[in-house]
Amino acid sequence: MGYARSKPTESNSSLEPFQEKNTLFPARFFASTVASIPSLEVNFVYIVDDDMIPGKKMLQILSHVSGIEKYKNSVLGNIGRILPFRQKDFSFPSYRKFLSNEAGLYLPDPAYDITVHKMVQVDFLSSSWFLSAELVKALFIETPFSFTTSEDLHLSYQLHKYRNAGSFVLPVDSTDKETWGDSEHRLAYVSKTTVIFKDIVQVRDEQWWRAQTTGYVTQWAAMYPQKIDAFLYAHSVDEVRALAPLLENFKSFVGKKTYIVVFGGNFCPCDDVAIALNWPKSVCKERRFKIFDLQIGALSGTWNSEVPILQAVYSSLKGLIKIHNPGVIITVTDIDPNVKKALKMASEMNPNGTALVLLPRPSVSKVLWMADLRSTALQNEIPISFNMDSKVDEATIKLIDSFQWPRGPKTFRRRIIQGGLIRAVSESWYPTSNDDYGLLLEDDIEVSPYYCLWIKYALLAYHYDPQVSLPYLSSISLYTPRLVEVVKERPRWNATEFFKRIHPNSPYLHQLPCSWGAVFFPKHWREFYVYMNMRFTKGAQANPVQIPNSRTNGWQASWKKFLIDMMYIRGYISLYPNFPNQASFSTNHMEPGAHISAKDNVVQHDKANFEVPLLVEDFRTLLPNRKLPSASKLSSLNLFNQPVSLKGLKAAGAKLGQDVLRCNNATEIVTVDHITGLPLRCSKFT
């Protein structure tokens, strides 16, 4: 073994070798960590097995390559191995079967005429290692799995996991022995490597499998990125039991790929996890993806702070997410705060999008429907914003100030000049991305305990499902109306009775937007913002949109009137719930305001027609077949509660011919830029 110490001079730098006796396996790397002592001024370490004889140019080549930007944060060598790939039965074979040549790829390997002509990234290096003195310390972040073998794999695994450093085999000039890492090539020409003993093979098998299941992105993983539905993370065996029903439900669906990730070590042993899941303990020994045991107990040293746990969980999950690309990570809300931070950081690092969902333990059994969705990509954090007009009273301000919101950040917005209802609502929210949704609730609205589950379930089923196309769905209502409010007579209407031949509790699509609790979609809200700016008039008669036979033509000071107009002329729809007695996820308490009990409003409002009961039980049991129906089975109604196809809704809007652009009244409607909300062109509808 030797160190390569950099000694700068005015014109160049040289490398001064130091010799040490063969200290065997991890101990030799441990000895090399003295090179990181600042007073020694050692920049690089070159570790060479005692049966390797490097060519005279080797050190010069290594020094040159290590100065290239791409390889500065790397370990370099001359012999490497690519670990086995997954087999057709989804298992991973042995690192090397006893008395068999089956294994991963050995580079270079003249026995199979395999040579290296360019830099090749491998899973680990053997026999020689050249790296910066600082990187050597990574070997002991986790306690080595064994002190008798596998130090080569452990080094590459630790460097990749904690330092994002790769392992590379250098090319050689076959005609110049001085460029060879071993000028006699004794190792490379042996058909069986030095690892031929059965117990050693078993130890190395366990070590590389542990690396792969704790976040090491091997060459197989890099070449064949996976796409799974979910990771379920459990920090303790109790959390495993809490999440078990959801995991079982995921696995009951053909084609679903969901794995459980556990803290491991003595705190959450894999054997105990298997027992809690009613699985055989043998799953902990199989080389198949089922339980990812992070074995955090392998961390070196004592834990005097939260940093080691946070770093270990984050580093492991970051690698596992990169390998498997889960749509969602699901865990319990009361998980260890440091682990929660690590999960959040790791999920946010995935460019393909991985959402972190925190579930209260009692709620796990109520969200088993998540397993039935093709997409589970939805953020868990819900920021809340209170929008107050200038005349808000002192009691309200104090109430809002003391309001506790555990689901995300809380913000206040207060006007200096009284804005009125139109501005209060329409300017209360503007989307920051296409995954930012606005749940608008006026001050006399109350929501059901299940409102959030309804929103998430509906979004995942009808908006994020890659096999569903409902581009004209612009909002999701929490409320089920009892009146047809857009006609003069305002007759009572019962959705359960209306749809009983299909299913009495099937949700439905309606051209009427809801102002008593609804989630609005970002693309359509930007569009509405621009539309209202272009069409706003103080007097109802001056408005260019006049929908035949609609009371909304005479509505004054109503933001909803403009949204109805836009939805009508462009064929947009809202999703509505439909449960017995109009039980809903929101209700209106009909407190006096800009419309209710206003002096200039001649319309009488009977509270019984508007205040509906809130759902206080698991609504999933009421749905057709206990789940939301497919999008193709949703019925659609026009503004007047009459059944009309989605194409028919667009045709009616086009026929009116009153949009901001003049289009063909029979075949075209206005389309917009979904980033700016500005109208672009007339497009044919289908």
Side-chain angles (χ1 to χ4, degrees), residues 81 94-106 109 111-112 190-193 196:
R81 184 179 286 276
S94 170
Y95 160 85
R96 173 178 288 280
K97 291 183 179 179
F98 183 55
L99 297 180
S100 169
N101 290 329
E102 291 184 21
L105 189 62
Y106 192 64
D109 196 343
Y112 293 94
V190 175
S191 61
K192 295 183 178 64
T193 71
I196 60 174

Side-chain angles (χ1 to χ4, degrees), residues 8 16 31 39 59 111 130 160 200 221 338 359 366 491 551 553 612 617 634 647 673:
E16 180 180 342
S39 61
L59 202 53
F130 185 89
H160 180 275
I200 295 296
N338 298 310
L359 297 176
K366 298 180 177 65
R551 284 181 61 242
N553 296 330
V612 298
E617 60 179 320
L634 294 174
K647 184 177 181 180
D673 183 323

Side-chain angles (χ1 to χ4, degrees), residues 450-495:
Y450 290 89
Y451 83 97
C452 195
L453 293 181
W454 161 251
I455 293 169
K456 288 189 175 184
Y457 192 7
L459 279 173
L460 293 170
Y462 299 130
H463 187 66
Y464 282 99
D465 188 328
Q467 296 184 23
V468 170
S469 178
L470 278 177
Y472 293 93
L473 181 62
S474 63
S475 60
I476 297 170
S477 174
L478 277 62
Y479 178 86
T480 305
R482 286 178 168 171
L483 296 180
V484 183
E485 61 176 311
V486 299
V487 297
K488 183 178 180 180
E489 298 78 11
R490 295 197 305 159
R492 286 183 69 93
W493 187 77
N494 187 321

